[in-house]
Amino acid sequence: MDISNIGERILNRFRKPQKERALVFVDYEHWFFGYKNLFGLKPNIKEWYDSICTRFQVEEAFFFADFTGIPVLKDEPGHIRTVSDSIIETGNFAGKNKKDMSDFVMLDYIYRKAMEYPDVKYFVLFTGDGHFQSVVKFLRNKCEKKVIQYGVKGCCSKQLCDAALEHYSVPTEDIKPSVYYPMIIERLDWAAKHPEVIVTFMNTVRYVSQRNEISEAIIIQALNQMLDSDLICKKRRRVDFNNSVLVLSANWDKLQECGLWSPKS
C-alpha cells in the first residue's frame, strides 16, 4: 500500500472542487429594453453577475450596447462597472442598423474569444436574438464549448434557446401588476388635490407610462386589476351642461386598509 502521499489525498477530500471557467457576453440592449418595455424594471446587474459567479470562475465579462448613441443608456456603464470594466461601445462602429451592428460586434468578440481561450469550457451568453443561433452551434460543434444562454422572458428566439445547452429566462419570477400600484396612486393622490384635473382611464395610463418610462400595456393591466379589486372605481363627472365623462376615483379607505396609501403620503 502506497502511503507516501496519503496526507495530500486526505486533504483533497475536504477541498472544495474548483469552479469551471467561463466567459460572459451580455447584449445589454436586449436586457435593458426587454426589462423596460415588458416589466418596467431596470437590470439588477450585480445580483445576476453574482449568481453566475457562484457557479463559474468568470475570466472576463463583456457588456455590449450603443451607450453613447442611445440617451437612456448613457448612465448604464456606471452600473456595469460594479461587476466589469469590459464595456464595449458599439455606437462607434459604422452601420445603418445600430442594433444589427451591436449584434455584429458581439458576435465578432465571441468568435475571437473562442480562439483565444481554448481551455475555457463554458460560454455564457445573455441575449435573445436569433442571430446568435449560429455562433452557439459553432461553439458547441466546432469548439466543444458548453453554452449557457440567458434572455429576457418573452423576448427570446426559440431556435436560440434550443441550440444552447441550458436556457434561463429572467426575471425568474413573474412581475405582479401590484408593483405598479404606487405609481397610479401617486397620480390619483395628486389629482385629488387638483380638482380641476380630469383623470380618465387612458390619460392616467399615458401619464404614468411616460413619467415612469413603462409600457402602457403594463399600466392598463395594473389599472384593470385595481378596478376589479375595488381599489379604484369609475364615476361619471359632468364637464359642461350637456357632457360628462367617466373619471377614475380612488377608494382611499380600502387603499389605506391595504397599506397602499396613508393620508400623509
Side-chain angles (χ1 to χ4, degrees):
M1 179 180 179
D2 181 11
I3 61 171
S4 60
N5 61 350
I6 191 169
E8 182 68 20
R9 293 203 299 272
I10 292 172
L11 286 173
N12 285 338
R13 291 183 184 178
F14 296 96
R15 286 174 178 156
K16 291 182 179 179
Q18 279 193 326
K19 296 177 184 177
E20 293 279 6
R21 298 163 66 205
L23 290 169
V24 176
F25 304 84
V26 179
D27 176 354
Y28 195 69
E29 290 179 36
H30 163 77
W31 192 1
F32 183 90
F33 288 107
Y35 262 37
K36 177 177 179 292
N37 295 333
L38 291 178
F39 305 105
L41 300 175
K42 294 193 73 173
N44 190 329
I45 301 165
K46 190 171 189 314
E47 181 180 72
W48 177 80
Y49 182 78
D50 286 348
S51 72
I52 298 297
C53 291
T54 60
R55 178 176 175 184
F56 298 109
Q57 176 186 318
V58 177
E59 297 296 317
E60 290 189 84
F62 302 93
F63 290 75
F64 302 83
D66 182 2
F67 294 104
T68 57
I70 302 176
V72 293
L73 294 181
K74 66 181 177 64
D75 295 328
E76 293 307 299
H79 304 305
I80 294 170
R81 286 192 183 94
T82 61
V83 303
S84 174
D85 290 322
S86 297
I87 300 169
I88 314 304
E89 171 58 65
T90 62
N92 295 330
F93 296 87
K96 293 181 180 180
N97 188 317
K98 289 293 185 182
K99 184 63 180 80
D100 285 348
M101 207 61 213
S102 292
D103 290 349
F104 174 81
V105 174
M106 183 169 163
L107 285 166
D108 180 62
Y109 264 77
I110 295 170
Y111 281 116
R112 287 196 288 112
K113 295 302 175 182
M115 301 297 104
E116 293 174 17
Y117 287 88
D119 297 330
V120 173
K121 186 184 298 184
Y122 283 87
F123 275 50
V124 179
L125 274 56
F126 195 136
T127 183
D129 199 316
H131 291 166
F132 290 85
Q133 177 189 354
S134 295
V135 76
V136 171
K137 290 181 177 179
F138 170 80
L139 292 170
R140 187 186 67 196
N141 299 329
K142 300 296 184 181
C143 305
E144 298 184 344
K145 307 291 187 186
K146 297 183 178 181
V147 181
I148 313 297
Q149 183 258 334
Y150 284 81
V152 176
K153 190 180 296 182
C155 295
C156 289
S157 157
K158 183 179 185 303
Q159 290 76 15
L160 173 63
C161 299
D162 291 344
L165 175 68
E166 299 174 28
H167 159 73
Y168 300 98
S169 291
V170 294
T172 54
E173 297 179 0
D174 290 333
I175 305 301
K176 297 178 180 176
S178 57
V179 169
Y180 310 101
Y181 289 3
M183 302 173 189
I184 296 168
I185 294 167
E186 180 184 15
R187 174 62 173 171
L188 296 178
D189 189 33
W190 179 87
K193 297 165 187 168
H194 298 80
E196 73 280 6
V197 175
I198 296 174
V199 183
T200 67
F201 186 96
M202 282 312 300
N203 70 25
T204 299
V205 169
R206 285 190 288 269
Y207 177 86
V208 175
S209 171
Q210 291 171 12
R211 179 177 176 80
N212 298 281
E213 297 184 335
I214 299 170
S215 164
E216 288 188 1
I218 294 172
I219 304 305
I220 289 172
Q221 185 182 10
L223 268 173
N224 281 327
Q225 193 174 83
M226 293 180 79
L227 285 165
D228 291 342
S229 303
D230 295 322
L231 295 171
I232 58 176
C233 63
K234 290 180 180 179
K235 293 183 178 180
R236 192 158 290 279
R237 174 177 170 179
R238 180 175 292 178
V239 292
D240 57 38
F241 183 74
N242 290 320
N243 295 307
S244 63
V245 294
L246 282 174
V247 298
L248 295 180
S249 178
N251 184 342
W252 298 114
D253 290 339
K254 189 162 186 180
L255 288 170
Q256 186 172 3
E257 181 184 325
C258 294
L260 293 169
W261 175 82
S262 68
K264 295 180 181 180
S265 63

